[in-house]
Amino acid sequence: GEEVTYQFRGALAALEVHQSPVRDEQGEVAGTIGLILDVTDRLAAEEALRRSEERYRAIFETHRVVRFLIDPATGLVEQANQAACDFYGYTAEELAGKPVHELNALSREDVLERLRLARDGNQTFSRLKHCLKSGEVRDVDIYAGPVELEGRLLIYALVQDVTDQRRAESLVTAQSQLLEMVAVGTPLEDVLETLARTIEEHAPGALCSVLLLTPDGKQLRRAAAPSLPDAYTAAIDGVAIGPTVGSCGTAAYLGTEVVVEDIATDPPWADFSELALSHGLRSCW
């Protein structure tokens, strides 16, 4: 007495049968009307689509390149592969639903605008800085574009870490700048100041200084220290070298490299540890 639909799958074809009851004037079932449809092509297409999506997801999950699926309307991560988890330091659960703007230095409005452009196919490449869970900032190239998945239009983004490449390019540029400064006769103090700033830019958190020996080889004079406290550099300017005169004075005295991991306890800093620690310095190469 109820409408029924079922399928037959055979070696040659798949049939879909629809049966509906026919009732007489008293409402009693007097017979059945049946409709048989050949749904072979439709089922084959559905199966091909299912397999295609399975292959797509398998490639997405296992690819070594960082990959995201992003909702362009909300700017939220829909899905991230394992490479993304490894790179950013988040679990897949932490990344799913995370606002993309929290991964970079852009505002939510800027991110949504870039996603809109990517959705419309107008922008497929960006150079940005992304922040890892640890707080480390990395330079990345992003390739993005629209993709339709399970009836939804999403943004497919590939992220490539180019931090080391950018750093190498920047160092080559800085080296060329320094050589040019030397070639045109720029004062030594200006060359060393530029050198110190370049090193600091490529070693976040580090403070760079250059001290020069006096002609008699007995004292150190400040040549460049763009980020060290003035009070500290003034205190050590003109200090006599010796076996316990910090890393620099000791290195000049011994003629060898001196690496001190703990200024508070390492012997080379015995006479100057209080001065260094008072200015927040903890280690020195």
Side-chain angles (χ1 to χ4, degrees):
E2 299 178 354
E3 184 173 327
V4 178
T5 300
Y6 49 92
Q7 293 179 353
F8 292 100
R9 293 174 181 261
L12 300 178
L15 304 177
E16 190 169 86
V17 181
H18 301 265
Q19 288 185 333
S20 300
V22 178
R23 302 179 183 277
D24 57 21
E25 295 179 355
Q26 288 74 36
E28 299 294 331
V29 176
T32 300
I33 294 178
L35 179 64
I36 300 177
L37 301 176
D38 184 351
V39 294
T40 306
D41 293 341
R42 191 193 77 192
L43 294 181
E46 291 175 352
E47 178 66 16
L49 178 61
R50 183 187 65 80
R51 290 179 178 176
S52 176
E53 291 180 347
E54 288 179 350
R55 285 195 298 269
Y56 168 82
R57 291 191 180 280
I59 294 173
F60 181 91
E61 286 295 333
T62 60
H63 204 284
R64 290 184 295 175
V65 173
V66 174
R67 299 189 179 206
F68 286 105
L69 286 177
I70 304 167
D71 186 337
T74 63
L76 300 180
V77 175
E78 287 280 324
Q79 188 176 353
N81 67 353
Q82 186 58 48
C85 297
D86 296 339
F87 177 62
Y88 288 94
Y90 293 99
T91 64
E93 292 73 22
E94 288 174 325
L95 283 175
K98 189 174 187 64
V100 177
H101 72 268
E102 292 185 2
L103 297 176
N104 57 53
L106 298 178
S107 67
R108 180 176 183 274
E109 291 70 24
D110 288 338
V111 167
L112 290 176
E113 175 63 16
R114 288 173 181 263
L115 291 175
R116 183 188 66 78
L117 293 173
R119 179 199 64 197
D120 297 339
N122 295 323
Q123 181 171 327
T124 59
F125 175 74
S126 298
R127 288 189 167 181
L128 300 172
K129 290 185 178 294
H130 272 200
C131 185
L132 310 186
K133 186 177 182 179
S134 64
E136 181 184 358
V137 176
R138 306 289 290 181
D139 292 311
V140 296
D141 285 348
I142 302 175
Y143 302 85
V147 61
E148 187 172 336
L149 185 64
E150 298 176 353
R152 297 180 60 202
L153 183 63
L154 301 173
I155 299 301
Y156 186 81
L158 305 179
V159 180
Q160 182 180 9
D161 181 13
V162 294
T163 305
D164 293 340
Q165 174 187 336
R166 299 275 176 81
R167 183 174 295 150
E169 293 171 352
S170 179
L171 284 172
V172 170
T173 301
Q175 182 183 40
S176 298
Q177 179 187 3
L178 288 165
L179 290 175
E180 182 178 352
M181 293 175 70
V182 172
V184 300
T186 302
L188 178 60
E189 290 77 7
D190 294 338
V191 175
L192 295 178
E193 187 86 0
T194 301
L195 173 63
R197 291 189 183 279
T198 299
I199 293 173
E200 290 180 347
E201 289 174 2
H202 291 84
L207 307 177
C208 180
S209 72
V210 180
L211 299 173
L212 297 179
L213 273 172
T214 53
D216 61 10
K218 295 181 179 180
Q219 293 176 293
L220 292 176
R221 301 305 303 265
R222 178 193 186 280
S227 301
L228 282 172
D230 289 338
Y232 175 78
T233 58
I236 64 172
D237 189 25
V239 68
I241 65 174
T244 58
V245 186
S247 296
C248 298
T250 304
Y253 180 80
L254 298 176
T256 185
E257 178 183 77
V258 175
V259 178
V260 171
E261 296 182 358
D262 189 348
I263 287 176
T265 60
D266 283 10
W269 280 86
D271 298 335
F272 288 85
S273 61
E274 184 175 346
L275 171 66
L277 295 173
S278 69
H279 290 284
L281 305 177
R282 294 291 181 266
S283 62
C284 183
W285 170 13

